[in-house]
Amino acid sequence: MEKNDKDPDHDDKSKGDEKGDVVSDAHLSDDAHQDGSSNKDNVDVVGNAETDHQDPGDNNDDKVSQGEEAPEIRQTLESLSEELDQFLPTLSLHMEEHKDCTEEKGEDGYFQIPQFVGKFLDLFEEKLSKYDSGEPKTVWYQDPEEVSSLLEAVDRVSKLMGLLLNTKSCLDHHESLINHAGSIQQRAMAFLEDEFRIILEESVTKESVVVTDDSNSQRRSTADQQDHQNDAAVSQDQDQMLVPECGDQEIEYPGYPEDVVVVLRKIAEKMKAGGYGWECREVYLVGRRNILMRTLKQDCEFEKVSIDEVQKMSWDTLEREIPIWNKTFKDCSSLFFPGELKLAERIFPGDEGSLFCIVTHGLAIQFLGFAEAVAMTRRSTEKLFKILDIYETLRDSFPAMEQLFPEELRGELRNEVTSARSRLGETAIHIFCDLEHSIKSDSSKTPVPGGAVHPLTRYTMNYLKYSCEYKDTLEQVFKSHSKMEREEEEPVESGNSAFASQLMRIMELLDGNLETKSKQYKDIPLSCIFMMNNGRYIVQKIKGSAEIHEVMGDTWCRRRSSELRNYHKNYQRETWGKLLGFLGHEGLMHNGKIVKPNLKERFKSFNATFDEIHKTQTTWVVNDEQLQSELRVSITAVMIPAYRAFMARFGQYLDPGRQTEKYVKYQPEDIEDLIDQLFEGNTSSSSTATARRRT
């Protein structure tokens, strides 16, 4: 790792101490020696490698005095640190006194560097070498004393370098020392940079496990049941990860213990003080971006996709991606982004959000690009609910996210969100109105077998029911983003919103379409059954949804129920009215006597007609149990009393035995049993009285 500002090259002068261990400065310039012996007293005592590189030509000045050697005192990094702490203010004072001097000469310009400075540098370099070799075995940043010792030593080296590089006499006379100190400082900073990266990446005790309250999961829109129930997956990759036992447990993100944050902050402070703040910030940015993306993938299954990739995705793939996007955006707004901002502020106090912005801003823009790309895909009705999910997520979650960014970035993000919401809103309106066009264009000529509920009815009502679960959002969308103008359209009823009016218009179109389809049945009673089936299905769907019932209103439901009763009456008249005609008295008596041939023919006609009705209408379909029961009860109420009275009045005129068995085919109980077989869609049911007996 290279420091931003290169250390200057200058000569370092070394001289022995005043007591006798004197080493003359081998590289002293001619100007520095021109005063003769007077400079011999101002020698610089150093104890580092530069004393080993003396000029042989100065042997007479370099001889070590022959006095007794003082007993050697073992010096430690701690003891030398105390001496260095006492020396640095002296060097600082000298720098301040001579900072305005452009030229320093003689005794006043030369400054001695004590021997212990070089020794301190050597011992600190040995300490770094031990760390590089894997010793000690314990992790240094887990020992508070070791953290303090190492970082204070780094700080001393940085202060020493700052003073040396800003003191002219040191630049002029102590080049070797400066180079040596600079090399050690670079090594120390490289070590701290690597350790900062390791601590940042490996000290997370838990990466977020989020349980979000996604209201969309309760909607039964297309594929929502499956997609929105996918809560955050808990990663098992890290042994230290803590999993909450309940959804109410507060999970702190990004999951660094307080003591780790303190160490990271101290490292950042020392690197900044040494002129390596940019390198530290760069490590932080790369590390946190990687950790954030890894967390989003583990917890939300989120991976970045480009706008082009979104455009090329099949709907099945995109349908799976949208719930993931929704969850990720919400979690970033409420948990991940706030956690990143808090962490950056704790490690780099006074940063004012710049690191947070660099880590998260690009991701936020990518989120919004995805939303806009979805809105630009080919429109289809099944996409409406997923598009509304995205719209709601931006509407509800962006305000909290926006507040995390500084004012200068909020405007940009706000513009992006406004653009994305506009595209989503306009797309949603067009898709919803496409339903109107699909109803108009459905001109199938094949009637539904058995008069059952038409697929168009099922699709439309389910679509409207799900749409009304987004009622408030659709109201907002139509109000804020509708740019469509209709020609020759009746004005919107007072009190109705644009969405409600559109819903009523779709219902009217569906009614007209069903009325047209009912005419495809040649059998009028079956046409009535078709309209009853579809009408009942529509009413039940509306009554079963508070949202759509609120839009349509009680008056509409009462009017539709009245129409169903009219279809019921028409069916009964067209089918059972004719059968009842055979049970009348007309034509059966002449001059007060029973005309047996006519009576026999009447029974035969009744039996044949009933058999035909039973054979036909058992194949008809009424899936709604209540409607099916109402139809059977009403038929029984009309037919059984009339048939029972007819049998009581005229059955006695048939001779017992063969005549009775031949003409009286059904007893009243048999008729009732066979009526209960109607509308089951059973093509193989028998028309005989033995098909089902009441018990």
Side-chain angles (χ1 to χ4, degrees), residues 22 80 113 155 173 191 229 245 263 272 300 309 373 383 395-396 414 419 439 457 494 504 515 519 657:
V22 179
L80 292 174
I113 302 297
D155 193 43
H173 305 297
F191 172 77
Q229 289 173 356
E245 295 180 358
V263 171
K272 180 180 179 182
C300 306
E309 289 172 328
K383 294 182 180 180
R395 179 194 65 194
D396 300 337
R414 199 177 295 121
S419 174
I439 295 173
T457 304
S494 177
M504 299 289 284
E515 187 70 35
K519 294 179 171 57

Side-chain angles (χ1 to χ4, degrees), residues 620-638:
W620 294 0
V621 179
V622 178
N623 289 326
D624 185 272
E625 293 183 359
Q626 183 179 352
L627 177 59
Q628 187 185 72
S629 177
E630 289 174 1
L631 286 168
R632 289 172 178 173
V633 168
S634 66
I635 295 168
T636 299
V638 171

